[in-house]
Amino acid sequence: MRWWCPNTVRLAILRLFGASVGRNVLIRHRVRIHWPWKLSIDKNSWIGEGVWILNLEPVTIGSNVCVSQDVFLCTGSHKFSSPSFEFDNGSIVIEDGAWLAAQSTILRGVRIGNNSLIGAKTLIFKDVPARCRVLAPGASHTATPPKPANEGPA
């Protein structure tokens, strides 16, 4: 939608077309959502300008998630080796506290774990465990375990 369309109107339109959208969700302008009825966004999440959600299958976005500018979530594909080139689709789940940085791409069938960071311009085609950082171009997983509550400063 255009920049002048208020967030409350964007959310109302999505809900009208069947999307499940929680409290305090912000959806910036120029966001494209293929099928709203296959979208679920939990509370306090942010969808940045220019995000494209190509949700031929369900896309679930948890709470406190940041989907940054120009991220592409793509649930659809085809079986290249098949003579009929049939669909090979899969849902996408982004768990609570995850951050998908600018221009990252998440492909079908992927789950992004709680509090994980997907770096800018990173291509994700397999699951990312909780509390991991995946950075382009190597796309290697680096665990960042939480600090124990009783551990003081170093």
Side-chain angles (χ1 to χ4, degrees), residues 51-96:
V51 168
W52 184 7
I53 301 175
L54 183 56
N55 56 334
L56 303 169
E57 299 297 333
V59 169
T60 303
I61 298 172
S63 61
N64 302 301
V65 169
C66 177
V67 180
S68 295
Q69 297 82 355
D70 298 312
V71 166
F72 181 39
L73 303 177
C74 182
T75 63
S77 188
H78 294 275
K79 293 185 178 180
F80 181 73
S81 60
S82 166
S84 60
F85 204 54
E86 67 259 14
F87 290 116
D88 183 15
N89 300 342
S91 61
I92 293 174
V93 176
I94 312 297
E95 294 182 354
D96 297 346

